[in-house]
Amino acid sequence: MTDNLAYQDQDDEGLTPRTSHGTLNFSENHDDSVYGSGLGPLTSNQVQQLRQLHGPNTMETGRKRSWYQILFGALCHPFNILLILLATTSGVTEEYKTMGIMLFMVLISTVLRFHQEMKSEIAVKGLLKLVSNKVIVIRKGDGGDDGARIESNVSSCDLVPGDWVKQFPGELVPADLEIIESKDFHVSQAALTGEAIPVQKYASKSTDFYSNSGINDADDNEDESTAELLTGIVTPKPSRPILKFFRKVFGLPVYSEEKLSDEEARNMVSELDKPQLCFMGSAVVSGTATCRVVSTGSKTQFGRMASELAKRRPENAFQLGVRRISWIFFITMICLVPPVLLLQGFIIKDWYAAFTFALSVAVGLTPEMLPMIVNTTLAKGAFEMSRRHCIVKKLDAIINMGGIDILCTDKTGTLTNSIVTLHRYVNRQGVSSSSPLFLGYLNAHFQSVQQNPLDSAIVSHFDSAIENNEDPVFSTIPQKFTLVDELPFDFERRRISVILEQQDKTNTLLICKGAVEEVISQCTRILDDTTLTNVYSMIRNEVATHPLSNSEQVRLLRLNDELSNDGLRVLAVAYKFLESSPVDPYGIGDEAELIFAGYLAFLDPPKESSKDAIKSLLEHNVQVKVLTGDSPLVCQKICREIGIPVDVVVTGMDLVGMSEEQVRKLVEDATIFAKLTPIQKSDVVRALKKNGHIVGFMGDGINDAPALTEADVGISVDSGMDICKESADIILLEKDLNVVVDSVIVGRMTYGNTLKYIVMAVSSNFGNVFSMLVASAWLPFQPMGSLHVLTQNLLYDISQIAIPWDHMDPEFLMVPHRWSMKSVLKFMVMIGPWSSVFDITTFLFMYFYFGIQTPEDDVGLFQSAWFTVGLLTQTLIVHMIRTPKIPFIQSWASLPVVFMTVFIMGVGLGLPYVPEVSKWLKLEWLPWEFYPFLLAVLIGYCCVAQLAKVIYVALFKEWF
């Protein structure tokens, strides 16, 4: 692409349409009876044959999940599976109460997760309603080659390769097209390339539209003739319908047999540069064109991109963390439950009772409400994010959102407004001047053809200047001119001129605007506007000019380079005075001996909100990297303006041929990745993930879809392409980075509350099981009944229901966090056993003070005492573990958490005194002498836990 995209070079290469299998070479001796002479518009018979061969012009833009797939995913959570296994074991041993409690927890967890994800899926489907666009198609009548050409409106789904279509401003390109003829035809390829400036498309003069058929074919045999493809004589690919059926039933992706290689992706991008080709997903900005369809549906470049997304999405950081934590529970059970079973069996000589007790220990070690607490926390996070204009498609994405330490984002439309504006207008010295602005406006205003986006930017800026009364003369001068003639733009001259005459017939003015070198080459003089008081002086030719020397030309070209290096698109403006009544008509020869007036420089400016959002992301320790298909110079300009520190700039060509290790090192240092292919974007994200980062990617174009799939968190917007919305985990209803900042904070809050419960449950339960090991090896009776263990665990878990409504310390929200099995294990080993110290103290107190030493003594009192101590210490520990600070002094929990703590502790103290409940649970009244001991245990436990926290933080420099 040239810097002046509206005035780019003509491509003299012949058209070589590509398909999903490479470059096509069509037979010169095609069957005219099938095609019709000259490959003109198709007949209805040909359209029917082609539709049978190629199918409708539609494609799957992502992996859709049915309600039963969402339900299946909600049920088959690792924690749910663990509980189902334990519930099944309990049922086999006739522990039906235990089984009922566990299955109830699984049911609540599954319903919560299913409800939230199904609600998000419905919301997303509302955003993804596909509208069947109508396009004007030219086809032949029933008279075959002699039939008249008929224009009709048909659905874009009904297009077939070979169809002729007309394109108008505001339409989406319905398929991959080659241009037959066009007039000032500009399309926006931002969704495909990330390039903000629309590009002009036109028919290449050297292209023989009738030797390269757009009627391609997607079957595997490239040697088949085009006639064979049209008549349907093809060899279909072998299919696996049974495998495909089961993969779809279980919500698994149906793999494409081909993989889009990086070389093919680069070829795609190179073809996007070809002026004679338009691609599905582009938008027509201005002008008109008649085109022939080259490819439809999954054979388009868009379709090729979609097929790449059919592969299975890699596990994200949250999924890996959940799987690893599940293994912690399995391994801890394997290590602790067998010793408890053996010790109990040999000591009490009742192996069935020993097995039942060991099973209750396993249940006690497993936090039954973990899935429910986690899903409740995630559901609350999803609700909070919806208030911040986000739709969360997958609940897991909330945790990952809080964990991201690198946000990769596209530039166009995300950091910028995706609207071209006139940024600067300067004279020969690079100083702001109204001369090029005024002349450029007259050129754009009086063009007879529809204006391109750069002309629209000039007119818009000029109108704004008039409204702001920047120069009163501006509002009156345009009315003093009439259009005499026009020299239209072409791709050899790369400039456009208008000839204007003043109403008083005093002057005739030629104003030329176009690519810098082409305009300067026609200039012989240069305007000296240092003494220019107003534009009247220039119009009346009362302003100084001097010859344009070689050295002056060099300075002008250097100024152009400086503006271009600042990320601006540059046009040159020149003018001259003509004879009012020339002998010959005005022509291209009049574009000579021009007076250079200055430059117009354009930019897709950054959003006003981007600077504050970037600052906030950096403050929250989230690096921002820009991955775009646009120019590196433009990206640098935008990054400087919004405060992204730029260290290293990498282009797509820099990545070619690099080893994986080189790429992994480079992505750490670089800030801007420009001119990337879609596959290279996903490669950069993958390399960052392999370096240990949790990566979020934000994009809305087709070229962003592979990276959205690869990222830990894919973020798109409701105005993005359908394929991106279906590939994303989170959809923003506002295209604003500030929404991302809010989502990061909500994600960290959600992560903190989720992990808070996990580490509390793991450490507390580990301490209890360790205490049971000690008691089993020492006491000749069970220190607590199976029902006591289950009830204690259930009451403790109920107290944790309020955790999703807890808050985190501000310091916690300032840094990203990631799931770490090592951290959970450290926490379990370092914090968990401290509770055992007080459990053993309770054993000693009951053993010696109350004399409960044999099965014949009051074992019920012993069990009731340990039940009460265990429940109260477990419940109180919530406040010790939720923060590294001193609880109730430096940090208070939220009101719901405090209320639930007080409530459950009150229930625990009161259970022995409720007749029916105490009888069912086999709890006894506790004597008054026990309560001073209980108070001392609680105070001592809090002090020791605080000391353990200080030691833990000092050793590991973290708190979960």
Side-chain angles (χ1 to χ4, degrees):
M1 298 268 182
T2 64
D3 285 339
N4 304 303
L5 291 177
Y7 303 92
Q8 55 188 302
D9 289 319
Q10 181 175 355
D11 189 340
D12 292 329
E13 297 178 2
L15 177 65
T16 53
R18 284 179 53 81
T19 70
S20 57
H21 302 285
T23 303
L24 294 179
N25 296 310
F26 295 97
S27 170
E28 295 290 342
N29 300 317
H30 53 259
D31 186 348
D32 287 341
S33 66
V34 177
Y35 284 105
S37 62
L39 287 180
L42 301 175
T43 65
S44 58
N45 182 52
Q46 291 170 333
V47 170
Q48 186 176 2
Q49 292 181 55
L50 283 164
R51 188 171 295 118
Q52 290 176 353
L53 173 63
H54 295 281
N57 182 31
T58 59
M59 71 184 118
E60 290 293 326
T61 57
R63 297 184 294 276
K64 299 179 176 64
R65 297 188 298 167
S66 302
W67 67 267
Y68 54 85
Q69 293 170 336
I70 297 174
L71 180 61
F72 182 77
L75 178 63
C76 294
H77 194 276
F79 294 136
N80 282 347
I81 293 172
L82 179 61
L83 289 180
I84 290 171
L85 289 175
L86 290 173
T88 302
T89 306
S90 300
V92 170
T93 58
E94 299 182 355
E95 290 288 329
Y96 297 118
K97 295 177 183 177
T98 305
M99 182 181 72
I101 291 172
M102 289 189 168
L103 292 180
F104 179 72
M105 294 299 108
V106 171
L107 176 64
I108 294 297
S109 168
T110 302
V111 169
L112 274 171
R113 193 178 189 91
F114 172 76
H115 170 72
Q116 186 61 45
E117 294 201 0
M118 193 66 198
K119 185 170 69 173
S120 298
E121 192 75 14
I122 292 171
V124 171
K125 286 180 179 178
L127 294 175
L128 296 176
K129 289 180 179 176
L130 299 177
V131 179
S132 180
N133 297 318
K134 296 286 186 178
V135 293
I136 295 180
V137 176
I138 303 173
R139 289 172 178 163
K140 288 182 181 177
D142 295 333
D145 292 341
D146 298 327
R149 294 184 179 184
I150 300 173
E151 292 187 6
S152 59
N153 280 320
V154 303
S155 170
S156 60
C157 301
D158 294 330
L159 292 178
V160 296
D163 259 331
W164 285 30
V165 299
K166 285 190 172 183
Q167 291 283 270
F168 298 95
E171 294 183 347
L172 289 177
V173 176
D176 287 357
L177 311 174
E178 62 177 350
I179 297 176
I180 299 174
E181 59 181 7
S182 64
K183 182 178 181 181
D184 196 39
F185 190 58
H186 290 79
V187 300
S188 171
Q189 298 185 152
L192 296 163
T193 65
E195 189 115 31
I197 305 293
V199 295
Q200 185 146 5
K201 297 289 186 176
Y202 54 94
S204 175
K205 290 181 180 179
S206 62
T207 298
D208 180 0
F209 289 103
Y210 307 110
S211 63
N212 290 314
S213 170
I215 309 172
N216 48 58
D217 264 13
D219 74 279
D220 288 332
N221 187 353
E222 289 190 17
D223 295 330
E224 290 174 312
S225 70
T226 315
E228 287 175 333
L229 291 174
L230 266 175
T231 53
I233 307 175
V234 296
T235 305
K237 290 184 180 180
S239 61
R240 302 174 185 174
I242 297 178
L243 178 62
K244 185 176 181 180
F245 171 77
F246 280 105
R247 295 192 71 82
K248 284 193 172 182
V249 166
F250 290 103
L252 300 175
V254 180
Y255 291 96
S256 172
E257 295 186 13
E258 293 186 66
K259 185 173 187 310
L260 184 65
S261 68
D262 196 62
E263 181 63 30
E264 288 177 303
R266 282 195 293 274
N267 288 337
M268 282 185 181
V269 174
S270 68
E271 289 193 353
L272 292 173
D273 289 345
K274 291 185 177 179
Q276 66 268 45
L277 298 180
C278 296
F279 298 90
M280 177 183 280
S282 304
V284 181
V285 176
S286 66
T288 60
T290 300
C291 312
R292 190 175 63 227
V293 176
V294 175
S295 302
T296 58
S298 60
K299 320 270 189 325
T300 61
Q301 304 286 41
F302 189 160
R304 291 280 286 151
M305 194 68 64
S307 67
E308 174 68 10
L309 303 180
K311 64 183 182 182
R312 179 187 293 273
R313 185 168 189 165
E315 283 188 304
N316 58 44
F318 176 79
Q319 292 166 334
L320 289 172
V322 167
R323 181 157 53 85
R324 289 167 180 167
I325 289 174
S326 300
W327 276 107
I328 290 179
F329 290 122
F330 278 113
I331 292 171
T332 306
M333 281 185 202
I334 292 172
C335 293
L336 296 181
V337 173
V340 171
L341 172 64
L342 294 174
L343 287 171
Q344 285 287 301
F346 284 115
I347 291 175
I348 66 176
K349 307 301 182 183
D350 185 344
W351 286 98
Y352 180 80
F355 178 78
T356 303
F357 182 72
L359 179 61
S360 66
V361 169
V363 173
L365 184 62
T366 305
E368 300 98 324
M369 293 184 71
L370 179 58
M372 192 188 82
I373 294 292
V374 169
N375 287 330
T376 302
T377 307
L378 293 176
K380 182 179 179 295
F383 173 74
E384 290 295 327
M385 291 179 71
S386 69
R387 294 173 60 187
R388 290 164 170 79
H389 307 287
C390 292
I391 292 177
V392 180
K393 289 177 61 181
K394 293 184 178 179
L395 292 181
D396 297 351
I398 301 173
I399 297 290
N400 288 326
M401 195 71 190
I404 63 172
D405 57 342
I406 291 181
L407 175 66
C408 298
T409 177
D410 191 20
K411 175 188 70 68
T412 305
T414 304
L415 302 178
T416 66
N417 290 313
S418 194
I419 300 174
V420 181
T421 61
L422 180 61
H423 188 66
R424 295 185 64 185
Y425 32 94
V426 299
N427 61 14
R428 61 189 178 86
Q429 298 173 324
V431 178
S432 292
S433 170
S434 59
S435 300
L437 171 62
F438 174 70
L439 292 171
Y441 169 76
L442 289 178
N443 180 285
H445 178 75
F446 284 103
Q447 287 179 33
S448 60
V449 299
Q450 189 165 8
Q451 294 171 339
N452 64 41
L454 300 185
D455 292 327
S456 299
I458 297 170
V459 173
S460 175
H461 187 94
F462 192 87
D463 291 342
S464 176
I466 293 175
E467 289 179 6
N468 296 330
N469 201 30
E470 292 181 9
D471 191 336
V473 177
F474 280 0
S475 61
T476 60
I477 289 185
Q479 304 169 8
K480 300 180 182 296
F481 286 92
T482 57
L483 177 67
V484 175
D485 203 350
E486 179 178 0
L487 305 178
F489 176 86
D490 65 56
F491 290 92
E492 292 178 359
R493 293 164 41 249
R494 295 206 304 159
R495 55 184 182 262
I496 182 172
S497 298
V498 295
I499 294 94
L500 308 177
E501 187 177 59
Q502 284 187 264
Q503 290 180 345
D504 58 8
K505 310 294 184 180
T506 55
N507 282 316
T508 300
L509 193 65
L510 181 149
I511 302 174
C512 179
K513 177 176 94 274
V516 171
E517 293 182 359
E518 280 69 11
V519 171
I520 290 179
S521 67
Q522 302 301 311
C523 294
T524 57
R525 302 188 68 80
I526 189 166
L527 173 67
D528 183 0
D529 62 355
T530 53
T531 60
L532 185 67
T533 56
N534 57 56
V535 291
Y536 276 121
S537 302
M538 184 171 54
I539 294 169
R540 291 192 298 265
N541 200 12
E542 297 173 352
V543 67
T545 65
H546 60 262
L548 179 62
S549 63
N550 291 336
S551 60
E552 191 77 48
Q553 278 193 9
V554 171
R555 282 195 292 272
L556 290 178
L557 293 175
R558 189 182 301 123
L559 175 59
N560 172 51
D561 292 339
E562 290 174 1
L563 292 171
S564 298
N565 290 337
D566 203 26
L568 301 173
R569 316 286 188 184
V570 184
L571 296 180
V573 181
Y575 72 102
K576 70 181 291 189
F577 291 94
L578 299 173
E579 296 180 20
S580 296
S581 301
V583 176
D584 299 320
Y586 294 111
I588 294 174
D590 291 307
E591 291 179 329
E593 299 182 351
L594 301 179
I595 303 170
F596 179 85
Y599 288 136
L600 301 174
F602 302 84
L603 179 70
D604 179 14
K607 291 182 176 179
E608 294 181 3
S609 61
S610 294
K611 190 170 185 178
D612 291 338
I614 294 296
K615 180 181 178 182
S616 184
L617 285 170
L618 295 176
E619 287 175 349
H620 285 83
N621 293 282
V622 178
Q623 295 183 55
V624 180
K625 295 182 184 289
V626 181
L627 278 60
T628 181
D630 207 345
S631 160
L633 296 175
V634 174
C635 291
Q636 284 181 281
K637 168 74 173 176
I638 297 299
C639 288
R640 284 196 301 268
E641 292 197 7
I642 63 177
I644 298 178
V646 179
D647 299 322
V648 178
V649 179
V650 176
T651 66
M653 291 305 297
D654 296 332
L655 297 175
V656 176
M658 279 191 175
S659 66
E660 182 179 329
E661 289 301 318
Q662 289 174 317
V663 173
R664 289 179 61 178
K665 183 179 184 304
L666 185 62
V667 297
E668 288 294 322
D669 302 327
T671 304
I672 293 175
F673 299 84
K675 291 292 182 182
L676 295 185
T677 68
I679 304 306
Q680 285 176 328
K681 286 188 178 184
S682 65
D683 288 343
V684 170
V685 172
R686 188 181 304 113
L688 288 168
K689 288 172 62 180
K690 288 184 177 179
N691 288 346
H693 297 287
I694 298 179
V695 184
F697 183 87
M698 183 174 178
D700 60 355
I702 301 168
N703 60 331
D704 299 319
L708 285 167
T709 303
E710 183 65 41
D712 288 303
V713 187
I715 309 167
S716 189
V717 293
D718 62 339
S719 59
M721 302 297 293
D722 294 332
I723 192 173
C724 292
K725 287 183 281 191
E726 291 195 351
S727 302
D729 303 302
I730 293 175
I731 297 176
L732 307 183
L733 301 181
E734 288 184 21
K735 201 170 186 179
D736 188 346
L737 275 180
N738 284 302
V739 181
V740 177
V741 177
D742 292 341
S743 301
V744 167
I745 294 173
V746 171
R748 290 180 183 176
M749 184 84 73
T750 304
Y751 166 84
N753 286 333
T754 303
L755 198 63
K756 189 186 299 180
Y757 174 79
I758 290 175
V759 296
M760 285 188 292
V762 168
S763 59
S764 179
N765 290 357
F766 176 76
N768 284 347
V769 173
F770 188 76
S771 299
M772 289 181 180
L773 272 175
V774 174
S776 298
W778 171 27
L779 300 172
F781 51 84
Q782 288 186 350
M784 198 186 300
S786 302
L787 195 55
H788 295 150
V789 174
L790 292 173
T791 304
Q792 184 189 80
N793 211 34
L794 180 60
L795 287 173
Y796 166 74
D797 283 335
I798 291 174
S799 73
Q800 308 304 296
I801 290 176
I803 281 183
W805 286 267
D806 196 14
H807 49 250
M808 301 299 301
D809 295 331
E811 298 84 354
F812 183 89
L813 301 177
M814 297 305 296
V815 294
H817 305 271
R818 66 179 301 127
W819 289 85
S820 171
M821 185 172 70
K822 186 184 296 184
S823 295
V824 175
L825 283 171
K826 286 188 301 186
F827 203 96
M828 182 177 72
V829 173
M830 291 289 294
I831 304 299
W834 289 103
S835 64
S836 297
V837 173
F838 295 91
D839 287 334
I840 294 171
T841 302
T842 303
F843 297 160
L844 292 172
F845 181 72
M846 301 304 294
Y847 190 88
F848 290 106
Y849 187 85
F850 288 99
I852 305 172
Q853 302 177 2
T854 67
E856 287 75 26
D857 297 325
D858 193 357
V859 174
L861 179 60
F862 188 104
Q863 293 175 338
S864 300
W866 191 34
F867 171 86
T868 304
V869 170
L871 177 60
L872 267 60
T873 52
Q874 267 190 301
T875 306
L876 189 61
I877 199 63
V878 171
H879 298 271
M880 306 303 301
I881 290 180
R882 61 170 297 276
T883 174
K885 299 179 179 180
I886 301 174
F888 310 116
I889 298 177
Q890 296 177 324
S891 178
W892 273 84
S894 65
L895 187 61
V897 173
V898 173
F899 172 79
M900 289 303 297
T901 299
V902 173
F903 175 73
I904 294 300
M905 290 180 74
V907 170
L909 289 170
L911 280 179
Y913 305 100
V914 180
E916 293 299 325
V917 176
S918 61
K919 181 180 179 181
W920 181 65
L921 292 176
K922 299 179 180 178
L923 292 174
E924 296 185 7
W925 283 36
L926 295 169
W928 69 267
E929 298 96 331
F930 171 75
Y931 289 102
F933 169 78
L934 175 61
L935 181 62
V937 166
L938 295 179
I939 294 173
Y941 188 29
C942 289
C943 294
V944 170
Q946 185 62 35
L947 178 62
K949 282 199 301 187
V950 173
I951 296 173
Y952 184 92
V953 173
L955 287 175
F956 303 111
K957 312 299 181 186
E958 66 176 7
W959 184 247
F960 65 81

